[in-house]
């Protein structure tokens, strides 16, 4: 019996919506990067990356942590940045840097944790100054970073040092950096001693939920990566050309922690989908090539 053409099309068409394979399972299933030219594709929280490079587990001035996650992969710009900043950290008085998550081998939505870190340009750097740089793999799984803010989220704690400030300053001064996310208490402390000369780098330091055990560096789209989406608004726009030490910063330790009561007059907005719920149809079309490539 001849099967009608429309029935064949329906039989082999991709299943819609949630029935499709989740993108994070496809990207998380790859242990190695794609054999393509390095390229950041899409946005930091909705994209992927081709031809990523692995940060060596140990270097003269850094160690990659939580190796079991296999997230020490990044765009070549990110790997070079980590190595450069870790050398600067030794000039400040640290032994180097402990590096947390960068990206999966092909970027994309992660199987756990982050919403971002999808295009190889996000880097988590631990607040814990390295005591040594010869940790075993087992030690890197068990050791924890330190928090630099109080439990009420309003102030820095005794773990915070002038060296933390200097490391972040050097991190932000690099022209490759778009912005750096830290706990609001850290930004407030930096603002307390800010001078007009600090504006250029301090506006890159942005308050964010959490980020008291690490600071999160986000690099700009690499030159020539036309499929990379620049984040908007810019830090200059967010800070109205200033250093970001304004009334909007205080929101993080006032209304954010104790939201004012408001009568609901409109239906609640629908819940945003987390990247872990994305299918390949949600990502840039080029990501299909990345995930399917050798």
């Amino acid at each position: 019996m001849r099967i009608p053409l429309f029935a064949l099309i329906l039989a082999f068409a991709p299943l819609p919506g949630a029935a499709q394979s989740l993108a994070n399972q496809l990207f998380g299933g790859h242990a190695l990067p794609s054999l393509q030219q390095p390229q950041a594709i899409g946005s930091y929280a909705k994209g992927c990356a081709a031809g990523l490079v692995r940060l060596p587990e140990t270097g003269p001035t850094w160690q990659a942590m939580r190796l079991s996650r296999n997230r020490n992969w990044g765009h070549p710009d990110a790997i070079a940045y980590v190595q450069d900043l870790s050398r600067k950290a030794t000039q400040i008085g640290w032994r180097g840097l402990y590096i947390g998550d960068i990206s999966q081998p092909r970027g994309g939505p992660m199987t756990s944790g982050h919403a971002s870190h999808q295009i190889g340009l996000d880097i988590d750097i631990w607040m814990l100054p390295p005591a040594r740089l010869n940790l075993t793999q087992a030690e890197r799984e068990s050791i924890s970073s330190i928090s630099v803010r109080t439990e009420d989220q309003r102030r820095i704690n005794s773990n915070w040092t002038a060296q933390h400030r200097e490391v972040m300053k050097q991190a932000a001064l690099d022209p490759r950096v778009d912005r750096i996310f830290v706990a609001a208490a850290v930004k407030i402390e930096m603002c307390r001693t800010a001078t007009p000369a600090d504006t250029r780098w301090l506006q890159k330091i942005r308050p964010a939920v959490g980020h008291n055990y690490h600071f999160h560096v986000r690099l700009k789209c690499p030159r020539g990566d036309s499929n990379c989406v620049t984040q908007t608004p810019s830090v200059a726009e967010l800070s109205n050309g200033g250093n970001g030490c304004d009334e909007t910063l205080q929101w993080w330790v006032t209304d954010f922690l104790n939201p004012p009561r408001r009568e609901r007059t409109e239906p609640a907005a629908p819940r945003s989908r987390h990247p872990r719920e994305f299918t390949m149809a949600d990502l840039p079309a080029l990501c299909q090539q990345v995930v399917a490539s050798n």
Side-chain angles (χ1 to χ4, degrees):
M1 180 179 67
R2 178 175 294 177
I3 301 174
L5 179 59
F6 76 88
L8 287 172
I9 293 172
L10 289 175
F12 291 98
L15 295 173
Q20 293 185 23
S21 297
L22 292 174
N24 71 336
Q25 297 302 312
L26 296 173
F27 281 99
H30 280 287
L32 295 171
S34 65
L35 299 178
Q36 298 169 300
Q37 288 296 311
Q39 182 181 187
I41 301 166
S43 65
Y44 300 91
K46 186 178 283 189
C48 62
L52 292 187
V53 177
R54 180 173 168 270
L55 176 71
E57 295 176 2
T58 299
T61 51
W62 76 85
Q63 282 201 287
M65 309 300 283
R66 303 292 191 266
L67 297 176
S68 62
R69 296 178 180 176
N70 197 29
R71 294 177 179 176
N72 54 322
W73 298 85
H75 189 281
D77 284 9
I79 303 307
Y81 174 84
V82 166
Q83 295 171 343
D84 292 344
L85 182 61
S86 67
R87 284 189 288 269
K88 289 179 181 176
T90 65
Q91 298 166 11
I92 294 164
W94 285 12
R95 294 179 183 271
L97 298 174
Y98 286 152
I99 307 301
D101 289 351
I102 306 176
S103 281
Q104 298 176 137
R106 303 187 186 205
M110 291 193 172
T111 53
S112 64
H114 313 280
S116 59
H117 290 258
Q118 294 192 32
I119 58 175
L121 297 173
D122 290 297
I123 307 153
D124 286 346
I125 299 174
W126 281 23
M127 294 290 190
L128 178 66
R132 55 192 179 90
L133 291 170
N134 61 348
L135 297 175
T136 65
Q137 183 163 346
E139 287 173 320
R140 295 184 225 197
E141 298 295 330
S142 61
I143 193 173
S144 295
S145 188
I146 56 171
S147 173
V148 294
R149 65 148 170 81
T150 56
E151 286 298 314
D152 66 7
Q153 304 188 41
R154 298 176 187 275
R155 295 170 298 280
I156 56 166
N157 63 22
S158 59
N159 288 329
W160 176 260
T161 66
Q163 290 173 322
H164 282 91
R165 181 185 186 278
E166 189 61 25
V167 167
M168 280 191 229
K169 175 182 176 180
Q170 292 304 316
L173 278 171
D174 193 300
R176 291 169 289 192
V177 172
D178 180 82
R179 64 197 69 196
I180 295 174
F181 300 110
V182 295
V186 170
K187 172 79 176 190
I188 291 170
E189 174 62 18
M190 288 181 159
C191 290
R192 188 179 65 80
T193 57
T195 69
D198 296 324
T199 298
R200 181 168 64 95
W201 64 268
L202 190 53
Q203 70 174 202
K204 292 184 181 181
I205 307 292
R206 301 297 307 168
V209 176
H211 295 84
N212 50 309
Y213 286 91
H214 68 270
F215 62 96
H216 174 163
V217 176
R218 174 162 291 170
L219 301 186
K220 298 174 182 175
C221 286
R223 184 174 299 176
D225 278 18
S226 59
N227 293 297
C228 181
V229 178
T230 299
Q231 184 170 352
T232 57
S234 68
V235 292
E237 291 168 334
L238 286 168
S239 59
N240 295 313
N243 58 13
C245 302
D246 53 28
E247 67 280 357
T248 62
L249 179 58
Q250 292 302 313
W251 176 87
W252 289 91
V253 291
T254 54
D255 287 2
F256 173 70
L257 298 179
N258 295 294
R261 279 192 164 188
R262 296 177 183 171
E263 290 189 16
R264 181 172 292 174
T265 57
E266 298 180 2
R271 182 183 70 86
S272 299
R273 291 168 64 214
H274 193 279
R276 285 195 294 274
E277 301 173 80
F278 289 170
T279 66
M280 292 303 297
D282 295 305
L283 302 181
L286 283 175
C287 290
Q288 184 68 56
Q289 297 177 26
V290 173
V291 82
S293 172
N294 291 328

